[in-house]
Amino acid sequence: MSERTLWWKDGIIYQIYPRSFQDSNADGIGDLAGIVQHLDYLRELGIDGIWLSPINPSPDVDFGYDVSDYHTIDPKFGNLQDFDRLLTEAHKRGIHIILDLVLNHTSDQHRWFQESRLSRSNPYHDWYIWRNPAPGGGAPNNWRSMFGGPGWEFDEKLGQYYFHMFNKHQPDLNWRNPDVRSAMLDIFRYWLDKGVDGFRLDVFNAWYKEANLRDNPRLPGIHRRPFESYDHIYDVSQPEMIPALQDIRKILDSYPDRYVVGETFLADSAQARTYIGSDRLHAGFDYGYANSPFSARAFGKAIQYWDGLHGDQAWPNYFLNNHDTPRSSTRYAGANDDARLKLLAAMHLTVRGTPYLYYGEEIGMRDISLSRGQIQDPVGKRYWPFDKGRDGCRSPMQWDSRPFAGFSPSQPWLPVHPNYKVRNVVNQASAPASLLNFYKSLIALRREHPALHAGKLILIDVDDDALLVYKRFTEDETMLVVLNFSKGLRSYSLPIDEYNNWDLIFTGNEPLTSQMTDSTLNLPAYGVAILLSRAT
Ligand code: NOJ
Ligand code: CA
């Protein structure tokens, strides 16, 4: 392999929502020991790292994204010994562990906040964003909560308001207080010393607010929610963020091969890119790609833009799914047909960048639908039925056809999708044409070819709107990827001076596979063709 192998760069990262992966003690909630049971499955799938959604103690107002202690493990998930075991067992298999750090806010049950609200003179008071009412009474400014309602909550006893970007049980920390900043940096050291390989930073660009908490300007027009009626120039993306990331990166760089990826909040791709670089984040998430409609043009545009923003200086990251968005299977495909999902998998695993997979994506798990009474997510509780929240994509992993899909012997915290008897890991592992086997073979191909895991990318301009075509290449290897986004047959003429140099090495495993005749590639509906150049 000509390029240096760096696990997070060449590899694939798999996100686990721990509540929903595997329950090992029959309480209906997934846990760390459950994850250990499936490390061999993940190794065979071929992933290189796991991002664990938060595992710190949490009262679960926002299921782990409201942390009440940063230094230990939620007893629902196990304890520090279980975590050490997970790390050791993962590392034995070449799998890295990335923790989700939620440092914008804590739970209101966190000891710091409990102290903070005791009195204005308490040493922790200034750890959160407390303000007196506005001169005429009411909230200190016009900031809203992303989860609905005002961003400010009044505390009768103190006669002050505290700010919360999300739920009122998730008070925002005051990063401008040097004690908070240094406590936050210590959290990184604490987990690095335990041996974790990296972090995913939750809504990191919201950590700093404008010093005077100025009102956000109103946007013209009518918006779905009041939160969207403002231009969020003062509550996110403040310049103080960059030095904070630089300090974090210095800490990470004092340990070998560590990685930090950030989730930007209310930022476009260009803004997100400003946080990535050799002295800040290794990578960030791009919503342009994840939110594309199902079209070759739209994905091509998103890839070209995000890839171009990175250039040679940085390495892109791509995701189609996470714990906040309806699954790509539900957004792009019918209930039972996985052809489109195979096409997307082929794109996702062959563009330049680190692919993120979300548990169950590899078997095409669909979102569950819930009645009002079954909703767990605070967003769904507040906005039902206009927004049913994020529970749909968080249902238990479908391992096999036993009751509750082998996730747990007991009633799980969220219902299992009714399709689990057919759509599960065991069934798909033994069906050669399954989505799972498609993922496995593509991941193996990606691993084998430096052009695919480490090469540059050039999009090829094509006349046919249904086709997405790109080259991946290193100094020693060139590959061509041709993807048919239409439900009809399509053909693609290879560049005339090149066509006799190509070998068709991957066509997927649909019954009607892509074929090459002379200079023309024929692709079935949603067909995939990956070619390897014989010349360099
Ligand atoms: C972003 C996380 O991805 C989401 O799940 C959470 O609700 C908010 N941040 C608040 O932490
Ligand atoms: Ca459990």
Side-chain angles (χ1 to χ4, degrees):
M1 216 175 275
S2 56
E3 323 286 315
R4 179 170 173 239
T5 302
L6 207 49
W7 66 271
W8 60 266
K9 186 166 178 265
D10 298 346
I12 295 170
I13 297 175
Y14 185 94
Q15 181 189 356
I16 290 181
Y17 196 68
R19 289 182 77 84
S20 298
F21 201 59
Q22 178 69 57
D23 175 19
S24 72
N25 63 350
D27 63 358
I29 298 175
D31 44 55
L32 299 185
I35 297 173
V36 173
Q37 290 173 19
H38 292 292
L39 289 172
D40 285 331
Y41 164 76
L42 294 173
R43 186 188 48 193
E44 272 168 43
L45 179 61
I47 58 120
D48 302 83
I50 295 173
W51 151 23
L52 291 173
S53 276
I55 53 172
N56 297 127
S58 167
D60 289 333
V61 169
D62 192 15
F63 298 103
Y65 289 91
D66 47 323
V67 173
S68 56
D69 183 349
Y70 291 102
H71 295 94
T72 190
I73 305 296
D74 193 308
K76 290 186 289 288
F77 296 139
N79 55 30
L80 283 168
Q81 282 73 43
D82 297 314
F83 181 69
D84 285 342
R85 179 150 171 265
L86 170 61
L87 259 185
T88 311
E89 293 298 321
H91 286 169
K92 265 192 217 160
R93 293 163 176 83
I95 296 176
H96 301 77
I97 298 286
I98 297 171
L99 293 187
D100 203 325
L101 289 187
V102 188
L103 307 180
N104 176 67
H105 44 268
T106 68
S107 157
D108 61 357
Q109 301 307 304
H110 196 294
R111 185 179 60 84
W112 300 336
F113 188 71
Q114 295 289 315
E115 292 267 340
S116 169
R117 72 191 316 176
L118 284 178
S119 75
R120 294 189 190 197
S121 58
N122 186 284
Y124 286 95
H125 185 65
D126 187 45
W127 279 46
Y128 293 84
I129 304 175
W130 289 99
R131 286 294 182 277
N132 291 331
N141 70 13
N142 70 358
W143 295 359
R144 312 283 307 182
S145 156
M146 160 78 177
F147 283 176
W152 295 94
E153 184 70 14
F154 190 61
D155 185 285
E156 296 284 348
K157 185 169 157 235
L158 290 188
Q160 285 190 314
Y161 286 88
Y162 66 86
F163 178 69
H164 57 92
M165 179 64 88
F166 297 93
N167 189 279
K168 67 176 181 191
H169 299 295
Q170 294 168 293
D172 281 37
L173 283 157
N174 176 19
W175 270 77
R176 290 182 181 276
N177 179 335
D179 293 340
V180 170
R181 196 180 199 273
S182 82
M184 295 294 112
L185 296 184
D186 282 346
I187 295 170
F188 286 87
R189 294 190 191 95
Y190 175 83
W191 290 103
L192 287 166
D193 286 341
K194 290 214 174 292
V196 308
D197 302 286
F199 304 99
R200 175 259 186 195
L201 305 182
D202 189 70
V203 297
F204 71 88
N205 61 319
W207 294 350
Y208 281 90
K209 281 80 182 166
E210 196 267 337
N212 299 313
L213 307 187
R214 280 194 267 176
D215 278 352
N216 282 321
R218 272 201 86 97
L219 291 169
I222 298 165
H223 300 268
R224 287 189 318 156
R225 303 168 202 215
F227 186 80
E228 291 157 10
S229 316
Y230 295 91
D231 193 2
H232 291 271
I233 58 174
Y234 295 129
D235 52 353
V236 296
S237 303
Q238 300 303 299
E240 290 82 356
M241 204 48 238
I242 301 283
L245 291 180
Q246 287 169 332
D247 284 356
I248 289 167
R249 182 60 179 266
K250 274 188 216 132
I251 295 173
L252 264 91
D253 284 350
S254 65
Y255 297 76
D257 272 357
R258 302 304 210 269
Y259 168 72
V260 56
V261 56
E263 181 206 30
T264 45
F265 176 58
L266 308 175
D268 62 16
S269 308
Q271 174 75 36
R273 174 67 180 89
T274 64
Y275 298 118
I276 302 166
S278 57
D279 66 344
R280 46 201 79 181
L281 300 175
H282 294 87
F285 293 111
D286 179 40
Y287 283 83
Y289 173 87
N291 292 337
S292 288
F294 189 84
S295 109
R297 282 281 148 119
F299 275 111
K301 223 170 130 189
I303 292 166
Q304 181 137 45
Y305 186 52
W306 190 234
D307 191 77
L309 281 175
H310 287 73
D312 291 338
Q313 305 301 311
W315 190 248
N317 229 22
Y318 289 98
F319 74 97
L320 286 165
N321 292 286
N322 65 25
H323 62 292
D324 290 330
T325 338
R327 287 180 179 273
S328 52
S329 54
T330 299
R331 285 181 286 129
Y332 297 124
N336 300 312
D337 185 0
D338 290 349
R340 283 176 160 215
L341 302 183
K342 288 182 177 173
L343 180 81
L344 291 173
M347 173 183 71
H348 197 57
L349 294 165
T350 62
V351 284
R352 180 180 83 117
T354 309
Y356 273 65
L357 302 178
Y358 179 59
Y359 81 96
E361 180 171 341
E362 72 278 22
I363 56 164
M365 274 173 58
R366 298 330 198 235
D367 279 30
I368 48 169
S369 4
L370 297 173
S371 64
R372 173 70 184 88
Q374 292 172 309
I375 295 287
Q376 304 276 342
D377 180 18
V379 175
K381 285 183 182 162
R382 175 159 189 123
Y383 285 113
W384 174 277
F386 150 77
D387 178 344
K388 295 180 179 160
R390 301 163 294 178
D391 297 316
C393 66
R394 298 174 177 178
S395 65
M397 179 70 178
Q398 295 166 207
W399 293 108
D400 55 44
S401 57
R402 285 177 297 165
F404 308 125
F407 163 75
S408 170
S410 318
Q411 182 72 48
W413 75 287
L414 276 177
V416 175
H417 196 289
N419 69 12
Y420 77 93
K421 286 204 172 137
V422 177
R423 190 176 287 285
N424 62 55
V425 169
V426 166
N427 279 356
Q428 292 204 15
S430 60
S434 68
L435 185 61
L436 178 61
N437 282 317
F438 192 81
Y439 268 93
K440 280 191 192 162
S441 48
L442 268 165
I443 291 173
L445 188 79
R446 176 190 161 88
R447 197 178 274 279
E448 188 187 329
H449 290 281
L452 293 183
H453 61 245
K456 296 185 183 193
L457 173 139
I458 293 185
L459 281 179
I460 314 271
D461 205 13
V462 283
D463 291 336
D464 189 339
D465 269 359
L467 297 180
L468 179 61
V469 183
Y470 47 88
K471 262 188 198 170
R472 296 289 316 277
F473 59 99
T474 61
E475 272 176 26
D476 305 319
E477 190 180 57
T478 299
M479 297 180 76
L480 186 74
V481 179
V482 184
L483 305 170
N484 174 11
F485 274 73
S486 81
K487 58 177 193 285
L489 299 174
R490 282 293 198 276
S491 47
Y492 173 67
S493 297
L494 293 162
I496 200 73
D497 53 335
E498 290 183 12
Y499 73 81
N500 52 6
N501 285 338
W502 293 107
D503 285 329
L504 182 58
I505 61 164
F506 184 91
T507 60
N509 49 13
E510 274 97 12
L512 176 60
T513 52
S514 307
Q515 331 150 349
M516 190 161 66
T517 54
D518 293 339
S519 66
T520 303
L521 262 177
N522 299 304
L523 296 127
Y526 308 120
V528 171
I530 302 178
L531 297 90
L532 175 65
S533 170
R534 271 181 248 139
T536 49

